[in-house]
Amino acid sequence: MLRTALRNVLAHKARLMMTALAVLLGTAFVAGTLIFSDTIGEAAKNASTRNLKDVAVSVETVRTGVADENADGKRTTALDKKLSDRIRALPGVRNVRSDVTGSATLADKDGRPVGDDWRNRAVNYQPGKDGRDARYPLAQGRGPAAADEMALAQSTAKAAGYRIGDTVRFATDGPVLTKKLVGIVTTDDPEVTAGGNLALFDTATAQRLFLHPGQFDELVVTAHPGTDQRALTAQVRALLPKDRARAISGAELAAQQAKMVTAQNSAMSKTLLTFAGIALFVGVFLIANTFTMLISQRSREIALMRAIGASRRQVVRSVLAEAGLLGLVSSAIGFALGAGIAVGLRAVLDANGAHFPDGPVVVRPATVAYTLAVGVVVTVLAAWLPSRKAAKIAPVEALNTVEAPPAPRSLVFRNSLGLLVTGVGVAVMLYLSTLDAIGDNLSIAMAGSMLTLIGMIILAPLLSRPLVSLAGRITTRLFGISGKLAKENALRNPRRTAATASALMIGLTLITGMTVVGESAQRGMDKMAATGLTADYKIANSSSMTGLDPELSKKVAQVPGVRVMVPLRGAFFKTGDGFGHLVGTDLAQLPAVTDLTFTQGSLDAVRAGGIAVSQKEAEEHHWKAGDQVTVEFTEKASDTGKETKLKVAAVYQDNPVVGTSFADMSLVTPHLPRPKNDTLLVKADGGGSETIAEGIRHALGDSPLLKVQDHADLRRETAGEIDMIMNMVMGLLAMALVIAVVGVVNTLAMSVFERTREIGMLRAIGLARSGIKQMVRLESVVISLFGAVLGIGVGIFLAWSGGKMAGTSFPTYEMVLPWGRLGLFLLIALVVGVLAALWPARRAARLNMLEAIGAQ
């Protein structure tokens, strides 16, 4: 039977080619994901290991909130030269490196900020006796040694366009600073090799910028060979001030970083593997369809095998062995293709700003085994039901003619099961549409979506009759007999038509759902960016952790063309049943930059010394105008502060400009340890202009830290993240569509082979070659449109029900049906149908009439 299986594979190479392609694409996705994840993970771990290779103990300051910063906003730490000297005196210690770290945002030669704020590192350059810092080897120039000098990492200098001798413009927290570039360094720091930026200053300058003289953020201890890290760590801990600093061994630090890298890669791998699973799931329909048709075509052969003594179990084993061989070969080729996908994926993500650490491609034996196993198992499982059907062929059927169609099986059980599964899935989604928490119910939503989709797949044969018949009326009216024959061919085997269309339906369901959700979310983000905002410009710091110096607001107010400038600054507070954020502002000017609609109280009541709260906040805490509430103002939501009584003077409709609550600036400022503004809202003459915007930027010192955004800028900013996610998802789901298209081609090609005699008879009675081509093309189009209509319909329903749940926590979310894109999806399905039929239609038209009639 094994020889029979091998012979069947070799005998039907052309028929199995498309199936092999589906398995190949799916396993290539799996292999590519695993290789990519292993490669990036290993590169990140190696970078961390190199960065920590000489670290025996790391001593870091423990942040305690307000106590860490003085009135000037600079951090205060317990790590100083005295502690460094005491640690250096311990036995086994070779050296102690005293690090100062901060953030510096550079402006490039054109004045634009370089990189993301959270990856713009700044450190102190610590030269040894030879005048060089071993941690940051010099590539050009020398290390910074004076207050007006600095160095940059090689990648940072290249990105910003700076060369030795240039004047570098940057900002840390405040006005723009300038220093002369005297050196360019290389580094193994994983944050820098992964795309971050690095600026270096001499130690005294770094302390003035980020700390206080004589203080450090970290003490890095190196030890003599043979020193016990654990024992040394314990000795270091004994010297540290209680609750102000902590020590961790180099081995523990490396393990923590490795764990963090693994967790980050795991999340990405799971996402990519999910899409690989979708691609393989779509491929299952193609594989099952192919083997079902092959078994139908080989019914006489299988009956003869049964007649000469083959048992049902042997027939099943033969078909499964055939599937296993196909899966093994396809998976092996898919694995090779996956390695190429991994390299290409890394290049694409790097080009879009991912900046993964450098490292060789990593191929683990487990990846090879897993890829081959997945391909074989998926192929065998998909062929299991067809193999069972093959085993039921009776030996007496060897006496029948090949043309005798198999008796159609009843669809009653399948339809009943499909209605049940679909009903449960729809019920779950309708229930979820009434809930208001996405995170807690995400797994249930996914289960409901899956049940709905599976139910529709089961019901597809039942739905195919009315939908294909409707399409058939159009094709018959437009194309005559060819259109009618196409309809009859599609209806002849509803199971096959449904299986072929289902593969396309799955891809279009996911793409439609994601498109509707993405468009709706984008509309909601646009509304959020503009709702209530009547100001022409919004000014904020690119770092969410750093505010705006109050002096800047005065400079902005004096810019010609600025009519109104309103500052916003916020303070966290705790209540008995939660926490909130109170925004302080200029109540007299606030109506000029935002629309406020009060449902209780008024702005005058707030001016009298109370606070205003949003409707959502009032409902959550059961507050109403006139209530006295007790709160604790804190620097962060996790801190504990002093109790304060506040009066709720007004309740307003939710407004993203002022958030959940606001009051006069004088009420909020006393509760801030370092009063800084979070945002400045500007109303300009004539709605603003580029001249006014430039004037504002100039008043702010052209700092790369500060953003001056109009309404269009705010929309683009919110659109960027959604567009990036949507493009990535669409690209990944395109793989499932490619496999679905392959399925349509495969089904049509095998259907043409199955109907060889029928096509010969049609030619004999006068149907031209062009009519044969048209018939096959129309059949392909009908099947493709059937799958597209189901996919788009299910996708819209899932997007609607999921969107209802999202809308409760995303107030501006509004479901939008992008009719243009939906129409494009239908057009794509039409094109898919035409293209998928090119080869099968050509093959059918080229059949020799007499040979076709005599085919057995």
Side-chain angles (χ1 to χ4, degrees):
M1 298 303 291
L2 182 61
R3 287 198 299 270
T4 301
L6 182 59
R7 181 186 64 79
N8 283 330
V9 171
L10 296 175
H12 302 106
K13 294 188 293 292
R15 300 185 211 177
L16 292 173
M17 183 176 63
M18 294 296 180
T19 303
L21 183 58
V23 179
L24 184 152
L25 290 174
T27 53
F29 210 158
V30 172
T33 297
L34 295 175
I35 294 173
F36 172 77
S37 178
D38 289 340
T39 298
I40 298 306
E42 193 68 21
K45 288 178 182 177
N46 289 339
S48 297
T49 300
R50 290 193 301 270
N51 197 47
L52 299 172
K53 62 181 179 180
D54 294 326
V55 178
V57 183
S58 172
V59 180
E60 296 179 342
T61 186
V62 174
R63 300 292 174 86
T64 58
V66 179
D68 287 328
E69 299 187 12
N70 291 344
D72 58 6
K74 294 181 180 178
R75 300 190 309 275
T76 298
T77 77
L79 309 185
D80 53 23
K81 188 176 185 304
K82 182 178 178 181
L83 178 60
S84 174
D85 291 340
R86 292 175 65 190
I87 294 174
R88 188 177 286 106
L90 291 173
V93 174
R94 185 175 66 186
N95 188 32
V96 177
R97 180 183 178 88
S98 305
D99 288 343
V100 179
T101 60
S103 177
T105 302
L106 275 66
D108 64 15
K109 284 295 189 71
D110 297 324
R112 295 171 298 188
V114 180
D116 301 318
D117 181 71
W118 62 276
R119 293 200 297 185
N120 291 331
R121 297 192 65 224
V123 300
N124 58 321
Y125 187 83
Q126 302 175 58
K129 294 180 180 179
D130 61 354
R132 295 172 178 266
D133 189 334
R135 187 172 185 182
Y136 302 106
L138 285 166
Q140 298 178 45
R142 60 177 176 81
D148 62 344
E149 297 177 346
M150 69 184 300
L152 294 175
Q154 202 167 30
S155 58
T156 303
K158 182 179 179 181
Y162 287 120
R163 297 181 179 180
I164 297 293
D166 287 345
T167 298
V168 179
R169 297 177 66 253
F170 68 96
T172 56
D173 178 17
V176 174
L177 303 174
T178 58
K179 295 189 185 298
K180 183 180 179 181
L181 182 63
V182 298
I184 294 177
V185 305
T186 60
T187 178
D188 288 329
D189 188 329
E191 291 188 29
V192 180
T193 57
N197 296 309
L198 178 66
L200 302 97
F201 309 95
D202 67 277
T203 298
T205 301
Q207 288 173 333
R208 281 196 298 272
L209 288 172
F210 309 114
L211 295 172
H212 292 90
Q215 295 182 353
F216 306 98
D217 287 297
E218 182 182 13
L219 302 178
V220 180
V221 182
T222 57
H224 291 293
T227 302
D228 187 335
Q229 278 195 9
R230 288 189 179 181
L232 183 58
T233 303
Q235 291 178 320
V236 171
R237 283 175 181 154
L239 300 177
L240 302 181
K242 187 178 180 181
D243 299 329
R244 295 296 309 280
R246 63 173 182 168
I248 182 172
S249 70
E252 289 178 285
L253 193 60
Q256 288 180 1
Q257 290 198 4
K259 185 178 180 180
M260 180 178 66
V261 169
T262 300
Q264 291 173 342
N265 285 340
S266 175
M268 181 181 292
S269 296
K270 287 178 180 177
T271 301
L272 294 174
L273 285 174
T274 297
F275 289 101
I278 292 170
L280 285 170
F281 183 57
V282 172
V284 164
F285 291 91
L286 193 161
I287 299 165
N289 227 11
T290 300
F291 277 94
T292 298
M293 296 174 75
L294 280 174
I295 286 164
S296 176
Q297 294 167 16
R298 285 158 35 196
S299 58
R300 174 178 285 187
E301 174 188 325
I302 294 171
L304 283 171
M305 290 171 59
R306 293 278 286 115
I308 62 175
S311 66
R312 288 189 173 186
R313 182 172 296 180
Q314 286 178 311
V315 172
V316 169
R317 287 177 180 174
S318 175
V319 175
L320 294 184
E322 185 178 342
L325 288 171
L326 177 68
L328 184 63
V329 174
S330 302
S331 300
I333 301 173
F335 176 81
L337 179 60
I341 289 176
V343 174
L345 182 60
R346 180 174 177 174
V348 169
L349 292 177
D350 276 340
N352 284 277
H355 300 297
F356 294 108
D358 295 329
V361 176
V362 177
V363 180
R364 303 186 190 278
T367 301
V368 180
Y370 186 75
T371 302
L372 296 179
V374 166
V376 172
V377 169
V378 167
T379 309
V380 170
L381 286 178
W384 183 74
L385 284 177
S387 73
R388 300 277 296 177
K389 179 183 177 182
K392 293 179 180 179
I393 295 176
V396 72
E397 292 188 33
L399 302 176
N400 295 335
T401 61
V402 175
E403 294 79 15
R409 290 178 293 158
S410 173
L411 290 171
V412 173
F413 175 76
R414 176 168 179 161
N415 294 339
S416 301
L417 178 63
L419 288 171
L420 177 62
V421 174
T422 304
V424 172
V426 170
V428 170
M429 297 308 296
L430 291 176
Y431 167 70
L432 283 169
S433 68
T434 65
L435 302 180
D436 59 358
I438 298 177
D440 296 340
N441 302 292
L442 187 58
S443 58
I444 302 176
M446 293 178 66
S449 300
M450 186 61 70
L451 284 172
T452 304
L453 187 57
I454 291 174
M456 292 301 295
I457 292 170
I458 298 172
L459 281 177
L462 175 65
L463 298 173
S464 67
R465 287 201 168 276
L467 292 178
V468 171
S469 296
L470 178 62
R473 290 183 182 179
I474 299 174
T475 58
T476 301
R477 182 178 295 274
L478 294 177
F479 302 100
I481 190 63
S482 296
K484 184 174 182 179
L485 287 172
K487 180 196 74 171
E488 295 301 326
N489 289 334
L491 289 175
R492 181 181 304 179
N493 192 329
R495 283 186 172 85
R496 180 190 303 167
T497 298
T500 305
S502 292
L504 192 60
M505 180 189 77
I506 295 168
L508 279 175
T509 293
L510 297 173
I511 288 180
T512 299
M514 292 301 299
T515 299
V516 173
V517 169
E519 289 282 339
S520 302
Q522 185 57 64
R523 179 72 62 86
M525 294 297 283
D526 286 348
K527 290 179 68 175
M528 183 177 289
T531 297
L533 184 65
T534 57
D536 298 309
Y537 298 103
K538 178 181 178 181
I539 303 168
N541 198 308
S542 60
S543 170
S544 59
M545 303 300 294
T546 307
L548 298 168
D549 190 320
E551 291 299 317
L552 293 176
S553 61
K554 299 176 183 178
K555 295 180 179 180
V556 171
Q558 295 171 359
V559 172
V562 171
R563 187 193 312 166
V564 176
M565 189 287 305
V566 178
L568 304 178
R569 65 179 61 162
F572 286 103
F573 65 82
K574 281 188 175 183
T575 64
D577 53 356
F579 61 89
H581 189 250
L582 181 64
V583 172
T585 187
D586 182 347
L587 296 180
Q589 301 291 347
L590 186 62
V593 294
T594 184
D595 288 327
L596 288 170
T597 302
F598 290 93
T599 58
Q600 298 178 40
S602 65
L603 190 60
D604 290 335
V606 181
R607 292 192 184 105
I611 67 170
V613 298
S614 68
Q615 253 182 327
K616 184 177 180 180
E617 188 82 353
E619 291 170 1
E620 182 178 337
H621 296 287
H622 305 291
W623 291 342
K624 60 182 183 299
D627 286 352
Q628 290 279 347
V629 298
T630 301
V631 302
E632 295 177 11
F633 280 99
T634 62
E635 186 186 22
K636 296 178 294 188
S638 57
D639 294 338
T640 300
K642 184 179 179 181
E643 288 190 353
T644 304
K645 290 188 178 297
L646 298 174
K647 179 183 178 180
V648 177
V651 177
Y652 58 91
Q653 291 181 0
D654 294 349
N655 185 311
V657 175
V658 290
T660 56
S661 60
F662 70 88
D664 190 77
M665 187 77 77
S666 61
L667 191 152
V668 175
T669 301
H671 301 288
L672 295 172
R674 293 166 305 282
K676 285 191 175 184
N677 296 320
D678 299 321
T679 305
L680 302 180
L681 301 179
V682 174
K683 188 72 174 178
D685 292 332
S689 65
E690 186 57 34
T691 301
I692 296 175
E694 284 296 327
I696 294 173
R697 293 189 188 97
H698 185 68
L700 297 172
D702 293 316
S703 173
L705 274 176
L706 304 180
K707 298 186 293 185
V708 180
Q709 298 172 294
D710 58 17
H711 285 254
D713 293 328
L714 292 171
R715 287 191 176 93
R716 279 194 295 269
E717 185 176 65
T718 57
E721 294 181 6
I722 294 178
D723 286 345
M724 182 179 68
I725 294 172
M726 289 299 299
N727 289 336
M728 184 182 73
V729 169
M730 292 300 184
L732 294 172
L733 289 177
M735 179 71 76
L737 276 182
V738 170
I739 296 175
V741 172
V742 170
V744 177
V745 175
N746 198 37
T747 298
L748 289 174
M750 298 189 73
S751 178
V752 166
F753 180 85
E754 194 177 68
R755 304 201 307 261
T756 298
R757 175 172 286 188
E758 175 188 319
I759 292 171
M761 292 295 294
L762 289 173
R763 291 278 291 115
I765 62 175
L767 189 61
R769 292 181 186 272
S770 59
I772 296 293
K773 285 184 179 181
Q774 192 175 71
M775 176 187 72
V776 176
R777 281 198 298 266
L778 290 174
E779 180 182 353
S780 176
V781 168
V782 166
I783 293 174
S784 298
L785 288 178
F786 169 52
V789 169
L790 284 185
I792 292 173
V794 175
I796 290 174
F797 169 73
L798 296 180
W800 170 80
S801 53
K804 291 285 285 184
M805 183 171 60
T808 55
S809 55
F810 186 177
T812 56
Y813 182 91
E814 176 186 350
M815 182 170 171
V816 176
L817 290 180
W819 294 109
R821 290 199 182 187
L822 297 181
L824 179 63
F825 294 161
L826 282 174
L827 180 61
I828 289 173
L830 179 65
V831 173
V832 164
V834 173
L835 295 179
L838 288 178
W839 177 56
R842 179 179 175 83
R843 184 174 183 274
R846 295 181 67 180
L847 287 175
N848 183 281
M849 187 189 310
L850 296 179
E851 290 179 358
I853 293 174
Q856 296 294 322

